């Protein structure tokens, strides 16, 4: 499994309450902003408390999404056994990526999360 050792990610990790697990395979999800605008995104990493999403370079709305409400649809079924989507808030934005903090954590413990992401 890939490790993420960048200084920027290390600083973000210190502010997180939950472990984030980087994904080694592309997992596409739908990001629905404010219940109205859908964008396709790639799941970069996943934690009980949120995810990091990467968008196409053609996506132009990223600077305007900080602080907006978002629903992440299409997570692998093993990560969302009881819900169709997870809602949260966009907490940071960079050029083609953003961080999402879920309103409620994924219903998994960290060992289950690591096992599931390794099986993708």
């Amino acid at each position: 499994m890939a490790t993420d050792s960048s200084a920027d990610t290390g600083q973000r990790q210190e502010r997180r309450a939950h472990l984030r697990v980087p994904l080694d395979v592309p997992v596409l999800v739908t990001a629905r902003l404010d219940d109205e605008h859908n964008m396709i995104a790639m799941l970069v990493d996943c934690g009980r408390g949120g995810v990091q999403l990467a968008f196409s370079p053609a996506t132009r709305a990223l600077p305007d999404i900080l602080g907006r409400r978002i629903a992440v649809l299409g997570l692998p079924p093993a990560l969302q056994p009881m819900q169709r989507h997870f809602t949260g808030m966009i907490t940071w934005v960079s050029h083609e990526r953003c961080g999402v903090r879920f309103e409620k954590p994924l219903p998994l413990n960290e060992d289950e999360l690591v096992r599931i992401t390794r099986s993708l």
Side-chain angles (χ1 to χ4, degrees):
M1 180 167 296
T3 58
D4 198 343
S5 61
S6 71
D8 185 45
T9 301
Q11 290 171 352
R12 283 191 206 119
Q13 182 66 32
E14 291 173 10
R15 294 187 300 245
R16 291 185 185 135
H18 302 285
L19 169 76
R20 287 278 179 102
V21 181
L23 301 180
D24 289 334
V25 297
V27 175
L28 296 180
V29 296
T30 300
R32 179 173 293 155
L33 296 170
D34 300 325
D35 293 327
E36 61 187 44
H37 181 69
N38 289 345
M39 297 186 300
I40 300 299
M42 185 175 73
L43 194 61
V44 175
D45 65 29
C46 186
R48 290 188 59 235
V51 294
Q52 180 181 167
L53 302 175
F55 296 92
S56 161
T59 304
R60 299 173 194 244
L62 285 189
D64 300 326
I65 66 172
L66 183 63
R68 289 179 65 183
R69 183 171 161 71
I70 188 171
V72 179
L73 295 85
L75 288 173
L79 291 175
Q80 56 172 10
M82 296 177 274
Q83 292 180 251
R84 291 186 51 210
H85 66 275
F86 277 82
T87 57
M89 190 70 68
I90 297 175
T91 57
W92 62 266
V93 178
S94 68
H95 182 62
E96 295 171 0
R97 295 179 183 219
C98 75
V100 175
R101 181 177 46 223
F102 292 141
E103 291 171 353
K104 297 178 187 174
L106 292 174
L108 306 166
N109 66 42
E110 289 182 354
D111 291 336
E112 291 170 319
L113 179 66
V114 169
R115 180 183 49 76
I116 290 167
T117 55
R118 285 184 178 164
S119 71
L120 296 176

